[in-house]
Amino acid sequence: MPTPVAGRHFLHTPGPTNVPDRVLRAMDRNAVNHRGPEFGALGREVVAKLRAIFQTNGIVAIFPSSGTGAWEAAMVNTLSAGDRVLMTRTGWFSYLWEQLAATHRLDPVLLDTDWRRGADPDAIGAVLRDDREYRIKAVCVVHCETSTSCMTDIRAVRTAMDRAGHPALLMVDAISSLACADLRHDEWGIDVTIAGSQKGLMVPPGLGFNAISNKALAAMKSAALARGYWDWAPLVTANSTGFFPYTPAVNLLFGLNEALAMLLEEGLPNVFARHNVYAEATRRAVRTWGLELQCQDPVAYAPGVTAVRVPDGHSADALRATILETFNMSMGNGLGRIDDKVFRIGHMGDVGPLQLAGALAGVEMGLSVAGVPYRAGGVQAAIDYLAQHARGTAR
Ligand code: PLP
């Protein structure tokens, strides 16, 4: 048994993220009758606040599920077996989504990337222009590909779809971008936005979300995939009554209500700006260490997570294990084809500048202890930037 390390564990995975004390306190209570008046008021309040976060006036379905369940809900409510779905393989999570589509006997049309940038809206537009019979029923894109820390420009995807004059639904996985990066469900013409509780929303895992456009709701009429638990219909009613068709995750909803209040008090533009500052500070540290960012396209850098490549011949998993054992910090691992080549620093959700500086110090010390070659000074570069930013002089 390794000697325990004193002090708080540093949770720097890109989900689950740290749960603020206010949210913990809100959940620390007896369960309530989910068919009683107190619960209805909570349900309605949560939906109203979620609409502000998704930037929608429409329906937001809440499931007691992880994000994967919310993926499934989006598909089974709108599609039928054999439907073509255009999917962009930007990393591990888009690959898993594609596998789920295949499980439901959808017919994924794939657009590959090298996992070092976001999806290419022009390539999406070109495939749609060639689809003259409109056999593609949905375009599925991951906003923040958590495995690579690359963003896809959703507004540009929407524009490409409009230019192609194609009627496919636009489905966006915002699981690791919601409440980290701007995402405008209504204004950007998204049909289903998919999210989970355990990332930017700062709530423990266990809630999945679909924000749903009228066009997606209308697609339910012809969608023939079997749906029971994931059916949107009773949740449309739940949006106005606050009551759910089954026993909801009551205490998580109390926590979510508090977390949403915190985000709205801070203001979404401030929340996004804070994430961008941390991401830039982290990248400055990485560059100073002489390590390589997995994301090679500066316009695609993710605000909530940074994937970092270790030099050839070194193990990212061994580095993470050293950091956990020696400094009591958890980080994300590499997934799929970048397994053991990448470690991911989560800086999303309830993170303050000192926590970030501490996390980066953990990485820098870990590189030293694990014997991974690096140049010292990464933490200094990051704290210089954070201080400049606090003084208003950052460039
Ligand atoms: N999509 C993205 C972008 C994710 O980051 C994750 C999880 O990390 C998922 C989907 C899967 O979500 P869950 O693990 O909550 O089912």
Side-chain angles (χ1 to χ4, degrees):
M1 275 285 282
T3 317
V5 185
R8 280 219 159 195
H9 180 71
F10 264 49
L11 180 63
H12 282 273
T13 53
T17 62
N18 293 290
V19 180
D21 286 346
R22 267 177 69 178
V23 175
L24 291 173
R25 297 293 87 81
M27 293 188 300
D28 180 12
R29 50 175 298 159
N30 198 1
V32 297
N33 173 11
H34 63 284
R35 309 221 188 267
E38 183 189 1
F39 186 82
L42 172 71
R44 291 191 298 275
E45 198 176 327
V46 164
V47 168
K49 289 177 184 161
L50 276 175
R51 285 190 174 133
I53 301 292
F54 281 95
Q55 305 190 50
T56 182
N57 293 315
I59 298 294
V60 182
I62 308 171
F63 293 101
S65 78
S66 79
T68 302
W71 268 345
E72 182 152 308
M75 293 192 295
V76 298
N77 279 283
T78 55
L79 298 169
S80 306
D83 279 354
R84 287 207 175 144
V85 284
L86 178 55
M87 307 194 84
T88 52
R89 211 186 253 168
T90 46
W92 180 248
F93 290 104
S94 51
Y95 166 74
L96 291 183
W97 198 6
E98 169 202 321
Q99 298 297 302
L100 190 61
T103 302
H104 283 288
R105 285 185 283 135
L106 300 173
D107 180 11
V109 177
L110 302 176
L111 274 176
D112 251 317
T113 73
D114 62 359
W115 288 29
R116 304 201 71 169
R117 60 207 74 250
D120 177 358
D122 293 339
I124 292 173
V127 173
L128 294 179
R129 272 193 303 282
D130 284 347
D131 181 38
R132 301 231 166 77
E133 291 165 11
Y134 300 151
R135 294 187 61 192
I136 294 172
K137 300 298 178 203
V139 174
C140 300
V141 276
V142 176
H143 191 201
C144 173
E145 184 38 92
T146 327
S147 60
T148 64
S149 62
C150 296
M151 303 287 290
T152 288
D153 183 342
I154 302 301
R155 235 183 312 205
V157 172
R158 177 78 261 172
T159 303
M161 292 175 70
D162 291 346
R163 285 205 183 122
H166 199 288
L169 296 170
L170 173 57
M171 299 199 190
V172 175
D173 171 339
I175 289 175
S176 67
S177 63
L178 190 74
C180 300
D182 199 8
L183 178 128
R184 306 179 187 190
H185 178 84
D186 287 359
E187 190 184 317
W188 295 357
I190 305 172
D191 292 298
V192 191
T193 302
I194 295 144
S197 53
Q198 76 275 24
K199 307 220 180 210
L201 293 181
M202 313 181 291
V203 175
L207 295 173
F209 308 96
N210 284 167
I212 310 165
S213 73
N214 287 334
K215 186 171 160 187
L217 281 179
M220 288 174 75
K221 291 196 193 79
S222 57
L225 287 179
R227 54 182 192 265
Y229 186 71
W230 302 114
D231 194 354
W232 282 341
L235 294 167
V236 172
T237 316
N239 262 221
S240 48
T241 62
F243 294 106
F244 287 75
Y246 39 62
T247 314
V250 174
N251 288 52
L252 286 179
L253 291 169
F254 278 114
L256 176 64
N257 196 31
E258 192 65 24
L260 296 172
M262 289 175 69
L263 289 167
L264 296 173
E265 281 162 24
E266 186 176 353
L268 286 184
N270 297 326
V271 171
F272 304 148
R274 162 166 66 82
H275 280 84
N276 283 332
V277 169
Y278 295 164
E280 174 61 22
T282 303
R283 290 190 297 269
R284 288 186 184 207
V286 172
R287 289 195 192 99
T288 307
W289 291 326
L291 300 183
E292 200 185 324
L293 296 166
Q294 174 66 19
C295 185
Q296 285 188 320
D297 179 3
V299 301
Y301 289 149
V305 53
T306 302
V308 184
R309 295 179 70 89
V310 291
D312 286 347
H314 291 270
S315 160
D317 288 348
L319 172 66
R320 285 187 314 104
T322 298
I323 291 172
L324 177 61
E325 198 174 301
T326 319
F327 302 114
N328 197 18
M329 175 165 75
S330 295
M331 287 182 302
N333 57 314
L335 292 162
R337 70 161 88 138
I338 48 177
D339 173 31
D340 203 28
K341 294 185 168 52
V342 152
F343 66 95
R344 294 174 296 147
I345 306 170
H347 35 78
M348 67 176 77
D350 188 37
V351 176
L354 298 186
Q355 271 167 275
L356 181 73
L360 296 173
V363 177
E364 187 158 334
M365 293 188 291
L367 291 165
S368 166
V369 176
V372 177
Y374 73 103
R375 283 193 308 265
V379 174
Q380 189 63 53
I383 64 177
D384 284 349
Y385 178 74
L386 291 172
Q388 283 165 20
H389 188 267
R391 287 197 307 265
T393 57
R395 271 179 294 127

